[in-house]
Amino acid sequence: DEQGQPCILTVGFDITPTVRLQRALELSEQSYRAITDNLTIGVALIDTKMRIKAGNIRLSQWFAQEFRLNRSICEILRCDEQVVAARLRGEDVFCRDCPFQASLEDGNGHEKELEISFEDGKEHTARLVTCPVKSSKSQRNKGEVRALIMLLEDITTRLLVNQQLQRARKLEAMSTLAGGIAHEINQPLSALHLYASGLKMLLDKSDSPPRELLRERIDLILEQAKKISEITQHMRSMAIQSATVHE
């Protein structure tokens, strides 16, 4: 001041809006974290170099100590060893039919099924989905993919249930088919039994029955036998066509 004494300048700022915004962001982050951590699928943020930038608890549970930030997702998913080695050397290479590469190139979501070993040491079938995170409109490179969201779902149980359902349906269809075949064959078989019994009775009554009557009864028996043969041939052709379609 005028007397040469040092002065202290006190300036006050109202930071209430900033604090409120920070708290709101923290609550929002906690909410999103609570949601992602309670999902039954693994969620991770992957940069364009295939490095893990964030992930939920599910992935940590599945891969334990292997899952950590800035590690290549290719290592976690145990991709082709040559691809993993090349990425460790800094080369920008991908596996065949890689959904990460596809999303980076066309900016769309892609998915793929793959076999993965989790922490339990067992092989699991997983559904991998990649979703691009694009730059905002205000940025210079509008629409450029700057990161990827990875969704990893364990579908082992679902596939097992589907296989069991398919087997049950096949057994049901076979049961229905067997019932239909039995019904179709039962009628000519009953007729065969009737005609054969009548022929036996005729032979029991007379040692030399009329030839015309014998021929008539034999023709009836042969006619019913032909019907049974046609039914079995039809069933056999249906079975061959079904096997060809499944192949």
Side-chain angles (χ1 to χ4, degrees), residues 11 25 27 29 49 111 138 154 170 172 175 184 239-240:
V11 180
L25 288 174
L27 289 174
E29 183 179 354
K49 299 298 182 181
E111 65 178 81
S138 60
D154 184 3
K170 287 181 180 179
E172 182 181 359
S175 177
E184 291 294 329
I240 293 174

Side-chain angles (χ1 to χ4, degrees), residues 122-167:
K122 299 179 180 178
E123 286 290 329
H124 293 256
T125 302
R127 175 174 170 262
L128 174 67
V129 180
T130 56
C131 305
V133 179
K134 298 182 180 180
S135 56
S136 63
K137 295 181 179 180
S138 60
Q139 292 179 329
R140 183 176 180 181
N141 297 322
K142 185 176 68 173
E144 182 181 0
V145 177
R146 56 187 179 88
L148 296 170
I149 297 292
M150 181 194 75
L151 306 176
L152 191 66
E153 180 184 10
D154 184 3
I155 60 173
T156 308
T157 303
R158 184 198 306 173
L159 292 178
L160 180 60
V161 171
N162 287 339
Q163 291 173 359
Q164 293 173 345
L165 287 174
Q166 289 178 2
R167 284 197 292 268

Side-chain angles (χ1 to χ4, degrees), residues 17-148:
T18 303
V19 172
R20 288 176 178 172
L21 180 60
Q22 289 177 344
R23 290 176 179 173
L25 288 174
E26 289 175 359
L27 289 174
S28 177
E29 183 179 354
Q30 291 174 3
S31 298
Y32 283 115
R33 173 60 64 178
I35 293 172
T36 57
D37 285 346
N38 286 281
L39 290 174
T40 58
I41 63 175
V43 182
L45 177 65
I46 311 297
D47 67 10
T48 56
K49 299 298 182 181
M50 297 298 99
R51 295 171 300 193
I52 302 169
K53 308 310 291 184
N56 68 342
I57 292 179
R58 184 65 59 182
L59 290 174
S60 300
Q61 293 173 341
W62 283 344
F63 300 104
Q65 300 299 323
E66 294 184 3
F67 187 81
R68 59 179 181 270
L69 299 183
N70 293 318
R71 188 176 184 185
S72 173
I73 191 62
C74 302
E75 294 183 72
I76 302 298
L77 299 179
R78 294 180 178 85
C79 297
D80 184 272
E81 293 182 357
Q82 295 182 352
V83 173
V84 174
R87 283 211 159 269
L88 292 176
R89 294 193 301 267
E91 299 178 20
D92 192 19
V93 294
F94 296 90
C95 294
R96 183 179 179 182
D97 300 326
C98 177
F100 294 100
Q101 180 185 23
S103 291
L104 287 173
E105 291 179 351
D106 62 18
N108 297 318
H110 292 271
E111 65 178 81
K112 180 181 180 180
E113 287 188 9
L114 64 161
E115 300 296 324
I116 304 179
S117 295
F118 287 165
E119 181 63 15
D120 59 7
K122 299 179 180 178
E123 286 290 329
H124 293 256
T125 302
R127 175 174 170 262
L128 174 67
V129 180
T130 56
C131 305
V133 179
K134 298 182 180 180
S135 56
S136 63
K137 295 181 179 180
S138 60
Q139 292 179 329
R140 183 176 180 181
N141 297 322
K142 185 176 68 173
E144 182 181 0
V145 177
R146 56 187 179 88
L148 296 170

